[in-house]
Amino acid sequence: MARPKIVRRIACRPAYSCFKPNGVPMLQLPKITLASDELEALRLVDMLGLQQLEAAQQLGVSRQTLGNIIARGRHKVAQALVMGMALELTTDNTTNTED
């Protein structure tokens, strides 16, 4: 049996629920889902420029786990951009520290 997922501390909410290519109806696009912890990891490391150790502490996970989350998030974003997919942003079981 898999270990339960550690609750992550999310400090941002996405501005929109999805991003998609212009001119193509959403129903005609393949979709890929970016989890809230993947978006937060990308924000901390790629947008704010934090080191992985500091970002991992803010997210409430180990550095190795953060590295795995970032890799998944970057892969999904790249796949959506290159293959013209809709990128859906989710909110899941995380602790939101923005409030």
Side-chain angles (χ1 to χ4, degrees), residues 8-36:
R8 279 90 156 110
R9 292 189 297 263
I10 306 300
C12 76
R13 290 189 181 126
Y16 299 97
S17 62
C18 73
F19 288 91
K20 69 174 197 69
N22 285 334
V24 183
M26 187 72 166
L27 293 174
Q28 295 178 4
L29 289 170
K31 298 169 185 67
I32 191 162
T33 301
L34 187 70
S36 58

Side-chain angles (χ1 to χ4, degrees), residues 4-83:
K5 187 176 179 181
I6 295 173
V7 176
R8 279 90 156 110
R9 292 189 297 263
I10 306 300
C12 76
R13 290 189 181 126
Y16 299 97
S17 62
C18 73
F19 288 91
K20 69 174 197 69
N22 285 334
V24 183
M26 187 72 166
L27 293 174
Q28 295 178 4
L29 289 170
K31 298 169 185 67
I32 191 162
T33 301
L34 187 70
S36 58
D37 62 343
E38 294 166 343
L39 178 63
E40 178 70 358
L42 292 173
R43 183 184 76 84
L44 292 170
V45 174
D46 294 334
M47 193 175 97
L48 298 181
L50 297 181
Q51 295 294 318
Q52 284 194 9
L53 186 57
E54 186 179 356
Q57 290 169 345
Q58 287 196 24
L59 197 56
V61 297
S62 71
R63 198 227 39 92
Q64 180 64 44
T65 299
L66 177 80
N68 294 336
I69 294 169
I70 290 171
R72 278 195 316 268
R74 287 176 178 163
H75 179 77
K76 289 178 181 181
V77 170
Q79 189 176 6
L81 292 173
V82 171
M83 299 176 72

